[in-house]
Amino acid sequence: MRYLIVVTLLWAFSFSLIGQYLAGQVDSDFAVLLRVLIAAAVFAPFTLWRGLPGRLVGGFWLAGALQFGITYLCLYRSFSVLTVPEVLLFTVLTPIYVTLLDDALARRFNRWALLAAAVAVGGGVIIRFQPLQGEYLVGFLLLQLANLTFAAGQVLCRRLLQQHPVPQPLHRYFGHFFLGALVLALPSFLLFGDASRLPHTALQWGVLAWMGLFATALGMYWWVKGSVEVSAGTLAILNELHVPAGLLVNVLIWNRDADLPRLALGGGVILASLWLNRRGRRPLVAVAAG
């Protein structure tokens, strides 16, 4: 779980950095492409091209296309029609998608995991809900597609690592994940990108470099690595922690106002969902032990 918590903190900065320095200023397709290129360059020297199961490699290409390609192309576009708080609000449904997709692939229905994910979503809504104004339907639909593909990508990676164990460590083949993302990010920039809106300040280049190296390369790597150390229900719930973490970043770094009682209440509800998920797993552990 430690990997997932560290990545949650990294990604909490991402929402604020995108909204503060990139949204409406830097072409969204270029921002996604640069992040993918940096991440791919980090893992390229370690990447194995032979001796790996074909399904594992192909699955990582697909997961990268889903979890970073489609997800981040939709996420960046949503900032053009939504505020940062609205983006945070519309991402609260991700835990539900994670739980339902994992159950569908396993051909089962875990009501405790779904209940825990729903409670976590409730905590996120408590923290972030506010009356919506303006044209937000397009942004909402973009983010639901982003939520769904992000959930699908992480569930797929988790199952690939469980079903295709290999002696090589993850960093020796994780580069295939970002090559899959590049398959979508590069054509998207060539077809829809605006070359006149490239970064024009050292700060914007620095933000993209930081996000490419830490939030993207290391963040995605640690998230996938940590996903196999927890249950699917816990993974779903941890998808919700970016909401309170993102608000804390706004308060502590950007000095933005926040409703601290709501933040505490919603955070408490999210923590309670972790307890619910663990309670639901106890009968399974008892049966296995007997």
Side-chain angles (χ1 to χ4, degrees):
M1 188 183 295
R2 63 187 185 279
Y3 289 112
L4 302 180
I5 293 176
V6 170
V7 176
T8 296
L9 297 176
L10 283 176
W11 288 347
F13 285 92
S14 296
F15 286 96
S16 293
L17 290 174
I18 294 171
Q20 188 79 13
Y21 298 114
L22 303 179
Q25 305 174 55
V26 176
D27 178 69
S28 60
D29 292 284
F30 177 80
V32 172
L33 176 61
L34 185 59
R35 290 180 63 176
V36 173
L37 286 173
I38 292 173
V42 169
F43 287 97
F46 310 105
T47 301
L48 293 173
W49 297 93
R50 296 180 180 179
L52 295 170
R55 288 192 175 184
L56 178 66
V57 173
F60 266 83
W61 278 65
L62 175 59
L66 290 171
Q67 196 174 353
F68 200 93
I70 296 177
T71 296
Y72 278 79
L73 289 171
C74 292
L75 174 64
Y76 272 78
R77 280 171 167 78
S78 72
F79 279 95
S80 64
V81 292
L82 297 175
T83 64
V84 172
E86 288 172 342
V87 170
L88 287 169
L89 173 60
F90 291 155
T91 58
V92 299
L93 294 177
T94 304
I96 299 294
Y97 296 137
V98 170
T99 301
L100 293 177
L101 287 171
D102 186 77
D103 282 351
L105 289 176
R107 297 182 180 180
R108 66 167 184 257
F109 178 70
N110 187 336
R111 64 181 184 276
W112 279 103
L114 181 59
L115 175 61
V119 171
V121 168
V125 172
I126 289 172
I127 294 171
R128 195 57 273 169
F129 181 78
Q130 61 183 15
L132 300 173
Q133 299 177 351
E135 299 294 331
Y136 57 85
L137 179 59
V138 172
F140 174 80
L141 294 176
L142 281 171
L143 282 176
Q144 295 324 297
L145 179 57
N147 293 341
L148 182 60
T149 53
F150 188 72
Q154 59 187 298
V155 169
L156 177 57
C157 283
R158 182 173 181 273
R159 294 186 67 82
L160 286 169
L161 293 177
Q162 292 174 334
Q163 296 177 357
H164 301 283
V166 294
Q168 295 84 1
L170 179 59
H171 71 271
R172 296 305 306 275
Y173 52 92
F174 195 64
H176 293 286
F177 177 93
F178 293 110
L179 293 176
L182 193 60
V183 168
L184 290 180
L186 180 57
S188 182
F189 173 68
L190 295 177
L191 291 173
F192 307 111
D194 184 355
S196 67
R197 296 177 59 211
L198 299 184
H200 57 275
T201 67
L203 180 59
Q204 290 174 338
W205 284 107
V207 167
L208 284 173
W210 184 91
M211 295 181 73
L213 177 58
F214 293 99
T216 304
L218 295 179
M220 296 302 297
Y221 173 74
W222 285 335
W223 190 265
V224 171
K225 190 175 180 66
S227 69
V228 297
E229 298 180 355
V230 299
S231 69
T234 300
L235 178 64
I237 293 165
L238 288 170
N239 273 269
E240 202 65 34
L241 287 181
H242 73 276
V243 177
L247 284 177
L248 283 176
V249 168
N250 275 347
V251 173
L252 298 176
I253 296 181
W254 307 111
N255 295 318
R256 301 290 175 80
D257 293 332
D259 190 333
L260 294 181
R262 284 179 61 180
L263 178 60
L265 177 60
V269 171
I270 293 173
L271 291 177
S273 68
L274 286 170
W275 174 81
L276 273 176
N277 181 61
R278 290 179 63 85
R279 184 177 185 277
R281 292 168 60 197
R282 285 177 185 171
L284 297 177
V285 173
V287 171

